[in-house]
Structures are given as structure tokens and as C-alpha cells.
Amino acid sequence: MSDADKTPSTDGTEQTPKNFIEEFVAEDVAAGKNDGRLATRFPPEPNGYLHIGHAKSICLNFGLADRLPSGTCNLRFDDTNPAAEDTEYVTAIAEDIRWLGFEWGDRQFFASDYFEQLYQFAVTLIRDGKAYVDSRSLDEIRESRGNFYKKGSDSPFRERSVDENIDLFARMRSGEFEDGQHVLRAKIDMQSPNLNLRDPPIYRIRHAEHHRTGKEWCIYPMYDFAHGLSDAIEGITHSVCTLEFQDHRPLYDWFLEQLPVTSHPRQIEFARLGLGYTVLSKRKLQDLVTRNHVSGWDDPRMPTLAGLRRRGYSATAIRNFCTRIGVAKRDSIVDVALLEHALRDDLNADCDRAMGVLRPLKLVIENFPEGQVEYFDAIQHPEYPERGQRKLAFGRELYIERDDFMEEPKKKWFRLAPGREVRLRYAALITCKEVIKDDSGEVIEIRCTWDPESRGGNAPDSRRVKGTLHWVSAEHAVSATVRLYDRLFTAENPLAQKEDPDAPPTSFMDHINPDSLEVLENCKLEPDLASLEAGKVVQFERLGYFCKDTEDSKPDALVFNRTITLRDAWAKVAKKSR
Ligand code: ATP
Ligand code: MG
């Protein structure tokens, strides 16, 4: 099945709520709130590529909208911070969401489209005596806002007249002042136990070029101000966000109560996804890119959607993972094995089988005539006979996996060893007769005989052979570079600090796995793989799933990425706990 065949159901029929957010939404719809409308949004800031954490939010927001035939989900770029944002990210984000299987039609918006309206809202606040220009530095302002233990103190500028504020704010806009010279603040309550309500800044001066509005503006709205009002402008009914915004909810509501907006969205928070052995923050991922720890945002080790896709993850696997982890109110780190489990589930059903030898060892069949070729049938997929068979060329010289031979076999070693007979998958039984080594003592060739009676896997009844090896014909195989990936960090939570309060703080960079990439050259693959479409994943029998690299693979220089091995750590854990 291709990904296109597996997009989520969008028939919009009423479904039973699966989590507390769906319950809230179902309640509101049933109570006739918002005239029975349901409108959500996914609001990325275009300052980096989307990661698997964003996928959780995307599945949730688009999934909610799917609950009603008239439900909608907007894609809104939250582009209020010109310094870090770029059109490159806008394009990549849209591509990633589409790839995940979600569509927003003409419902694509930018917070920057509302800059004029947001400015007017700020002016309204000033006129109503609910905002003022503070002319101290951001540091001084921060200091005066106090903290959890210490109440805030009023700014000497707090009682500026409306006229003076209107005048200063207009001049801030016209570019008369430098960055940081003035800030517009909401006038709420410097004594509030909630720090977010202690006169938060809502506009700051920033002489920077914006990727969409260019140099039109030199003042930009702060997130808390712009976000809720953008929601209201778009008529969003449910504004779903991550837990760290819980304490911002009173502020979200405050702006909506003070200003003449026609809708008041309900903010609902959920736990952000954390995933083991990686970091999910665009800033930190950006650091990995800038410091060349990875080849780019789409490096197959990155937890970005672009990286996962290049690694060979299917959109279905990611969506299934998001469904399985559910939505909760408590932050936690999800075991990567769960993501890998969802991936294997999908790949196992989807991917055709193939033969590939990663660390080739030459094997010569002495009683096989030179120059002769036999062809054996190999099945494409064990569970889907309708996918048919392919022909595997078999000759006198083959390659097997170096790891499948042991000169002095240990106990329970069922693969090849001197004097041993094993099966070559789909082909025949072979017996090891001789081992050839180079001057350094390294095994460079295995000489065997085959039993022609056992052709096509029909071993004579009397013989029980335990080991089955994969192989390719030396004459027919194509060479390839294969990249093996391991986790990017050696610590499950690279952000965790040592418990000892006197220990120096560690950076997540301290936990980078130096062996997260191993590149194997001159791997030998069955020849059909040369024409495999880039981005396609196949299972190399006994080894794992491998994806033809979309960036670097060339017809005369094939490159495959190991998506994942066959061993399923999660299934084992699950079995044990049962
Ligand atoms: P980052 O730290 O990666 O930049 P962010 O929250 O600043 O994350 P945004 O572009 O603002 O990134 O995120 C868009 C939406 O995705 C927000 O609604 C945010 O709550 C959600 N989101 C971001 N990270 C996660 C995560 N790890 N799990 C679930 N949702 C997330
Ligand atoms: Mg953000």
C-alpha cells in the first residue's frame, strides 16, 4: 500500500471521544457552543523544521477537526519574530504536514497578515487605559516583575497619560526609536500571583526584516498577545497548546475580554511529547545542524519529519505512533522503542523483501560449473503471495555475510563453519570445505560444495539443516554504500542535569553519540535494487529495513539508509510485562 492510500479517515462522522480534549470538544459541540462550530489550528513558528513532537500536535488538531463534517483546522504560521524566521521553513513545514496526510485547503494563514489589526488592538488597549509605554530596558522590566516569591513593582511610566502613550506608540511604529528603547506593556496587575499577568510586554521594537512584511514594521507583537488574538480573528473555537502555556491562559483570556473580538476560543493544554535519546526543540535541533553534528535538518538521525522520512519512516507509522501514545496532561518521555514498533508494524506489511550483503565474504562453489547461471524463485512478500516472485541469479561465486561464518564455531552456532552444511535461502544446501586466508590471517574466501538435489529449497528429507543464510551472486550483484544509524544521543534524556546541585551544568551536546553513523562501502545487493525508486524501503532479509536515499543515491553510486533493524525491543518488553 502506498502512503497515498493510507490517509486518515476524513469522513467527519461523529466518533467516540478518545481523550480528554476530544471530550471537551464533544461537550462544547453538544452544548451548542460556537453555534455548533468546531475550528482548530496548528500554529508553527517558521523558525525550523517540524519534529515528531509537532506531529503529535498536528494529528491532534487535524484529528479534532475531523470529528465534525464542518470541522476545520487552519494552518497558521506564527511569524511574529522576524529574527529567526524564514520562507525556507514555511515551505518545509507545509510539505511535512501534507506528507503526514493532512490538508488545509485555503485555510493557510500568517500571523503577520494581522499585524495592522493587532496594532489597532494595541491602540484600543492604550485608549482604554489598559496598556502603556515603558521606557526602561527589558532587563529592568524583567527585574521589576519580581518572581514567584517576590511581588512586582510598578514602573515609573505606568501612569503615563493616554495621549502620551498613543503618541509614543505611533512613534515606535514609525521607526523613531532604537531596539529596546521602549516597550508597550499591558496594564494588568503587578501584584498578581501569576507572573504572566504582571504587566506583560505586548510590543517591542525590532528593526529587522520580516520574511513576509519586509521592512514595513519595526515593532512586533509578543507571542501571548498575537497568538490568542490571531485565534480569535480566525474564529478558532478550541485552541489546543502544550502545558507550558497553562499559566498563560488567564492572559490569553484577558486580551480576549478587553478587546472587541467576535469569538472567544477555549484554550486547552496537553503534555508535550518527549522522546528518549533525542531532543525535541527546534532551537536545539538547529544547533545540531549549525555545528555540523548532522548533515542537515533532514539528516536521517534527526527527529524531524524530514529526517524521519529520509530515514524511511512512513507517514502511517508516525500517525499510528501518535494515536498509540494518546494525549495526557503530564509530561513524560516516551520510549523510542514504541515509535520503532509502529514503524516495524507498517514496514513489515508494506515492504518487499530483497537480498543484500553488508559485509561481503566471497564464497566459491567448487562443484558448480564456471560461467553457468541458475535462477531461483524468491517471494516478494511472505504474507502477500499476490505480489509474486522474482528470479535470483545463482552462480559459482557468491557473497555471504562475513558475520555468518565462524571458523571456530561457538555452541549454538547454526550458521556456516568448516565442515558445516547450511541452506542458502531460496537456492540450495552448501557445505564448507575450505577456508582461505590472507597473509594477516584474515578469512578472505570460503570454498564450498553444493548439493544440486537440494535446488530451490527442496532439501532431501533425511537432512536437517539449521542455518539459512542470505547471499547474492558475485557476478550479478550491484555495489552500494549503506549507512547504519544509531541513536543520536547516548543518554535517554540528554537535557537532564546531574542531581548534585554543585555539579557544573551539562549541555545536551555532551551526550552526542560519537558512533551514531557507520558508513559501509562496497556492500553487495541484488541487482534489481539499482532501479528501485528513491525513498522506497525494502527489507533486506535477516538484516532490517533499508531506504534508498533520496538525496545522495545515484544510478552509478547507490546509497541506502538503514531505517531500522528487524529486532523489536518493544515487542520483547511488552511480552515480558505480560
Ligand atoms: P520548539 O521548542 O520545538 O520550537 P515550539 O512549541 O516553540 O517548539 P512551535 O512552532 O511554536 O514550536 O509549535 C507549534 C505547535 O506545536 C504548538 O502548538 C506547540 O505546542 C506544538 N508542539 C511543539 N512541540 C511539541 C511537542 N514536543 N509535543 C507536542 N506538541 C508540540
Ligand atoms: Mg514556539
Side-chain angles (χ1 to χ4, degrees), residues 43-45 47 54 78 223 244-245 272 282:
E45 184 182 353
N47 62 347
H54 293 113
D78 223 324
Y223 177 88
E244 70 271 24
F245 291 104
R272 123 192 317 269
K282 279 178 277 170

